[in-house]
């Protein structure tokens, strides 16, 4: 057991060298839309009928078990390009039905081996899908959580029930951090609905930083908008260039990927969008070039890819391999790809 523990510690603190004298610990933070991770049991008051054994997707134990197996494999692999055998410290997820599905997910062997836990607060979404935060307790310790509700400012419709903003404070690498996990209104709704979400999340972020100016804040999720859309660029003030990030702004490391690389995290009609993003408060940036890494700082980003996450043949070759498409069970993963950011902190 001691030998195993020592080997884990050796893997855990992967070091990068900036000079011959300094070493840095590396931490990975991710997000992944689970695309309808429903269990097989009806939740009272929720429209989950499609994902029941007698529903249109024939969502029985076999299909549910395969879904859990597939998603846990991808979640466990996230971050392992840089941190082999360790992966992400924490991962925000969306489109999960409830705590039962999350408990079944972290019980899968790839996540169970790292003792993954989760934070979840049941939300008001009419379909029954929520956001949650998965975490490795040897790397991240949650200390507080709250679900801020989305409030419709477009029509003032109090019956408009959608996902809220799961906000979790904790300790990562010895620093105080806060993660806001989002799943903003879909594109079946107009842009002002997502602009509302951007304003509301910015207000939460601003209040958190006002209470603790040193707090490291991550806003992550399926925004249903690209980085250059108004909800992200204007309302959340998530800038694509570190030099443009003011004290009340955020930095979006995924901003240039869609425009410069022509790729993203989901495909629609043969074209990529980049709805899945992780944006960072200025407290996570080496903005002034002082190279002060005594606290957690952003290092690099990644759209996480594995061959098994993609269609390999047919009309949709190269697109994310979904669980179902056109009513056909594909035994796949998600219509979205995961995203990861890597952080560094100088070893003392």
């Amino acid at each position: 057991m001691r030998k195993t523990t020592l080997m884990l510690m050796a893997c855990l603190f992967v070091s990068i060298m900036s000079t011959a004298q300094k070493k840095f610990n590396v931490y990975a933070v991710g997000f992944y839309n689970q695309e309808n991770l429903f269990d097989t049991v009806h939740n009272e008051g929720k429209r989950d009928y499609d994902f029941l054994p007698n529903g249109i997707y024939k969502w029985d134990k076999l299909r549910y078990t395969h879904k859990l197996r597939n998603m846990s494999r991808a979640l466990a692999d996230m971050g392992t390009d840089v941190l082999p055998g360790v992966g992400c410290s924490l991962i925000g997820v969306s489109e999960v039905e409830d705590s039962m599905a999350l408990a079944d997910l972290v019980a899968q062997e790839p996540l169970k081996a790292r003792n993954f836990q989760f934070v979840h607060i049941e939300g008001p979404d009419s379909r029954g899908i929520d956001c949650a935060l998965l975490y490795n307790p040897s790397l991240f310790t949650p200390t507080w959580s709250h679900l801020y509700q989305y409030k419709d400012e477009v029509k003032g419709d109090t019956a408009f029930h959608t996902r809220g903003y799961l906000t979790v404070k904790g300790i990562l690498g010895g620093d105080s951090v806060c993660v806001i996990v989002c799943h903003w209104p879909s594109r079946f709704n107009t842009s002002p609905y997502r602009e509302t979400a951007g304003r509301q999340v910015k207000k939460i972020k601003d209040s958190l930083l006002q209470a603790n100016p040193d707090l490291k804040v991550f806003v992550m999720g399926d925004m249903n908008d690209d980085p250059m859309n108004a909800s992200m660029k204007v309302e959340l003030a998530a800038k694509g260039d570190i030099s443009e990030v003011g004290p009340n702004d955020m930095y979006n490391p995924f901003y240039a990927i869609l425009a410069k690389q022509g790729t993203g995290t989901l495909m629609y009609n043969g074209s990529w969008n980049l709805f899945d993003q992780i944006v960072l408060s200025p407290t996570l940036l080496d903005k002034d070039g002082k190279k002060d890494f005594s606290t957690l700082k952003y290092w690099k980003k990644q759209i996480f890819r594995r061959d098994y996450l993609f269609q390999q043949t047919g009309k949709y070759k190269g697109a994310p391999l979904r669980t179902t498409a056109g009513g056909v069970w594909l035994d796949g993963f998600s219509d979205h790809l995961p995203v990861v950011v890597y952080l560094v902190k100088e070893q003392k």
Side-chain angles (χ1 to χ4, degrees):
M1 178 63 74
R2 178 169 175 77
K3 182 178 180 181
T4 301
T5 302
L6 290 174
M7 290 177 62
L8 174 60
M9 292 300 293
C11 292
L12 182 61
F13 296 114
V14 174
S15 298
I16 60 174
M17 299 294 295
S18 65
T19 70
Q21 292 78 32
K22 292 184 178 181
K23 293 183 178 182
F24 297 83
N25 296 332
V26 182
Y27 302 88
V29 172
F31 173 80
Y32 193 15
N33 182 318
Q34 302 291 281
E35 193 196 14
N36 297 320
L37 179 53
F38 283 85
D39 57 35
T40 60
V41 181
H42 173 58
N43 285 357
E44 190 68 30
K46 302 296 186 180
R47 292 189 290 105
D48 59 0
Y49 300 105
D50 289 348
F51 288 90
L52 294 174
N54 60 351
I56 62 172
Y57 294 114
K58 308 298 182 186
W59 200 245
D60 56 15
K61 183 177 179 180
L62 173 66
R63 296 187 178 191
Y64 178 49
T65 300
H66 278 236
K67 176 73 170 180
L68 293 169
R69 179 201 64 191
N70 290 349
M71 302 316 293
S72 63
R73 176 187 181 187
L75 289 161
D77 280 351
M78 289 171 62
T80 56
D81 292 341
V82 173
L83 295 161
V86 178
C88 287
S89 302
L90 53 92
I91 306 172
V93 293
S94 65
E95 292 199 23
V96 293
E97 183 179 18
D98 53 21
S99 292
M100 182 186 299
L102 286 161
D104 289 342
L105 180 65
V106 299
Q108 301 300 302
E109 195 54 44
L111 298 176
K112 182 180 179 181
R114 299 178 200 164
N115 192 31
F116 257 75
Q117 307 294 313
F118 64 87
V119 177
H120 169 253
I121 299 174
E122 186 68 32
D125 185 81
S126 57
R127 281 187 58 214
I129 54 174
D130 296 327
C131 294
L133 185 72
L134 309 180
Y135 66 93
N136 183 333
S138 68
L139 298 169
F140 174 75
T141 303
T143 57
W144 175 88
S145 61
H146 182 75
L147 182 66
Y148 291 92
Q149 301 296 336
Y150 177 96
K151 296 180 180 178
D152 177 24
E153 299 174 2
V154 180
K155 296 181 179 179
D157 182 3
T158 58
F160 184 78
H161 294 154
T162 191
R163 289 80 53 179
Y165 318 116
L166 178 66
T167 306
V168 183
K169 292 181 184 178
I171 304 298
L172 176 66
D175 289 1
S176 295
V177 304
C178 185
V179 184
I180 305 174
V181 188
C182 305
H183 187 184
W184 291 358
S186 75
R187 290 212 161 183
F188 288 109
N189 300 289
T190 56
S191 178
Y193 282 88
R194 293 179 295 283
E195 292 169 33
T196 292
R199 283 192 298 275
Q200 292 175 356
V201 171
K202 186 177 187 302
K203 185 177 180 180
I204 296 167
K205 182 267 299 181
D206 288 346
S207 67
L208 291 166
L209 287 172
Q210 185 175 15
N212 179 4
D214 296 324
L215 189 67
K216 317 285 191 179
V217 182
F218 303 83
V219 175
M220 62 172 64
D222 175 1
M223 310 306 189
N224 275 305
D225 264 339
D226 290 318
M228 66 287 298
N229 291 139
S231 64
M232 294 296 297
K233 183 179 180 180
V234 178
E235 302 301 341
L236 186 58
K239 306 297 178 62
D241 190 323
I242 289 180
S243 65
E244 298 177 355
V245 178
N248 296 318
D249 299 331
M250 302 196 79
Y251 173 57
N252 190 344
F254 295 90
Y255 192 95
I257 292 179
L258 188 64
K260 292 185 177 181
Q261 300 180 20
T263 189
T265 57
L266 72 158
M267 186 175 283
Y268 181 71
N269 285 340
S271 298
W272 286 102
N273 288 99
L274 211 166
F275 290 174
D276 306 87
Q277 301 160 59
I278 304 173
V279 300
L280 316 169
S281 63
T283 46
L284 283 157
L285 305 177
D286 178 37
K287 189 174 183 301
D288 53 13
K290 291 182 178 179
K291 300 189 183 302
D292 178 8
F293 299 103
S294 59
T295 65
L296 289 169
K297 292 296 191 298
Y298 167 75
W299 176 30
K300 65 178 182 177
K301 83 282 187 181
Q302 175 188 39
I303 297 177
F304 181 77
R305 294 178 171 87
R306 287 288 189 273
D307 287 346
Y308 62 72
L309 294 175
F310 294 90
Q311 291 265 13
Q312 298 298 317
T313 59
K315 178 181 178 181
Y316 299 105
K317 182 179 179 180
L321 178 59
R322 306 184 58 167
T323 303
T324 61
V328 177
W329 183 50
L330 303 178
D331 195 16
F333 293 78
S334 173
D335 54 344
H336 294 244
L337 297 176
V339 290
V340 181
V341 295
Y342 295 95
L343 314 169
V344 296
K345 184 177 179 179
E346 186 176 347
Q347 293 182 5
K348 294 182 179 179

